Amino acid sequence: MESAQENNCMEENGVEKKRLGLLRVKVDQEDPGAKGLDDLMLRRFLRARDLNVEKAASLLLRYLKWRRSFVPRGFISEDEIRNEIAKEKMFLQGVDKKERPIMVALGVRHTYYDRDLEEFKRYLVYGIDKICASMKEGQEKFVVIGDLEGWGYANCDFRAHLAAVEMMQDYYPERLAKVYLLHAPYIFWTAWKLVYPFIDSNTRKKIVFVENKRLKETLLEDIDEGQLPERYGGKLPLVPIYK
């Protein structure tokens, strides 16, 4: 049995390696600027499209075009996201038991009436790029704790929520390991029903709604107490992502 499983794994790895090579050739032909991309990035886009070379190439080429346009200097500066930074709604500290960095997002600090959508998108890129840069060698994914305590009508922002979903799926595929959603109030489910159809099946499997009575217990299944934020029963203070 083990031998058969090992053979299947080897065959799958062989197929992926072959298609990775085909993807590199195709993307390099379409976009000479792609020649500097490493195999890890190409593999993420390939896996995001179930090893379909054509679909993966289309997604990757679209990403490269977007990146040059949206992040022309290669990074988002804090001067470009002053309004978002001032709200201190995104934090980065600690890792889970698989050494994946943890991002904490406080939903109540995002309000639709005083946000600029383009600045919000830049803020997302700033945060995701920063958490990806913090990863240890060999690690490619991160974990999100989305805290919805106090979330209400003022925090319901369909365009911003959809922008976040699309950005993760289209421009950062295979980066998200798991999302824990905490303290989801009744009103949140109305917004969730609107956004849910836009979330692909692979991403849906990574979303976990945590019961209040099992909050710490659930988080400790994947995160050591010493790496868990204090507000959830751990030992780490929240550190704003810009620090």
Side-chain angles (χ1 to χ4, degrees), residues 20-177:
L20 188 65
L22 293 173
L23 176 60
R24 180 172 293 282
V25 170
K26 183 171 183 57
V27 173
D28 285 353
Q29 289 176 341
E30 296 285 338
D31 187 339
K35 292 183 178 180
L37 301 180
D38 60 28
D39 283 350
L40 292 178
M41 174 173 277
L42 266 67
R43 188 178 66 183
R44 287 195 296 271
F45 280 81
L46 186 62
R47 289 179 174 178
R49 289 297 179 266
D50 298 320
L51 304 188
N52 184 303
V53 175
E54 292 293 330
K55 292 181 179 180
S58 177
L59 184 65
L60 182 51
L61 290 168
R62 184 151 55 94
Y63 160 79
L64 292 172
K65 183 178 180 180
W66 164 82
R67 186 79 187 185
R68 294 187 186 111
S69 173
F70 199 76
V71 195
R73 294 186 294 171
F75 67 94
I76 299 294
S77 70
E78 293 175 6
D79 287 336
E80 298 175 84
I81 51 173
R82 284 296 175 191
N83 182 55
E84 292 294 323
I85 280 182
K87 297 177 182 179
E88 292 198 351
K89 56 187 176 182
M90 198 152 56
F91 305 81
L92 171 61
Q93 85 290 303
V95 295
D96 72 357
K97 294 178 181 179
K98 294 183 178 180
E99 295 294 311
R100 299 177 299 203
I102 302 167
M103 176 188 289
V104 177
L106 302 183
V108 72
R109 296 188 182 179
H110 175 88
T111 44
Y112 72 86
Y113 54 80
D114 63 350
R115 68 99 177 104
D116 175 86
L117 187 58
E118 290 306 303
E119 183 184 1
F120 175 72
K121 291 178 182 179
R122 291 194 297 270
Y123 182 61
L124 288 177
V125 172
Y126 173 88
I128 298 171
D129 282 356
K130 194 156 188 177
I131 197 170
C132 289
S134 75
M135 293 176 182
K136 295 182 179 180
E137 185 176 355
Q139 185 55 259
E140 297 183 74
K141 298 188 177 185
F142 62 87
V143 172
V144 174
I145 296 177
D147 192 334
L148 300 171
E149 187 171 17
W151 198 93
Y153 284 111
N155 314 114
C156 184
D157 188 351
F158 176 72
R159 293 181 67 192
H161 302 331
L162 186 57
V165 169
E166 291 178 340
M167 185 167 291
M168 284 304 308
Q169 294 179 168
D170 295 346
Y171 303 136
Y172 295 92
E174 295 297 304
R175 281 296 198 181
L176 189 63

Side-chain angles (χ1 to χ4, degrees), residues 159-216:
R159 293 181 67 192
H161 302 331
L162 186 57
V165 169
E166 291 178 340
M167 185 167 291
M168 284 304 308
Q169 294 179 168
D170 295 346
Y171 303 136
Y172 295 92
E174 295 297 304
R175 281 296 198 181
L176 189 63
K178 184 177 289 189
V179 179
Y180 298 95
L181 292 179
L182 319 181
H183 307 301
Y186 180 77
I187 187 177
F188 171 77
W189 296 105
T190 299
W192 177 249
K193 289 177 181 178
L194 294 174
V195 175
Y196 185 80
F198 296 94
I199 304 175
D200 66 38
S201 59
N202 288 330
T203 303
R204 291 174 185 173
K205 296 174 185 177
K206 300 172 183 178
I207 300 173
V208 178
F209 284 92
V210 181
E211 297 179 48
N212 289 343
K213 62 183 179 181
R214 298 189 66 249
L215 192 153
K216 183 177 179 180

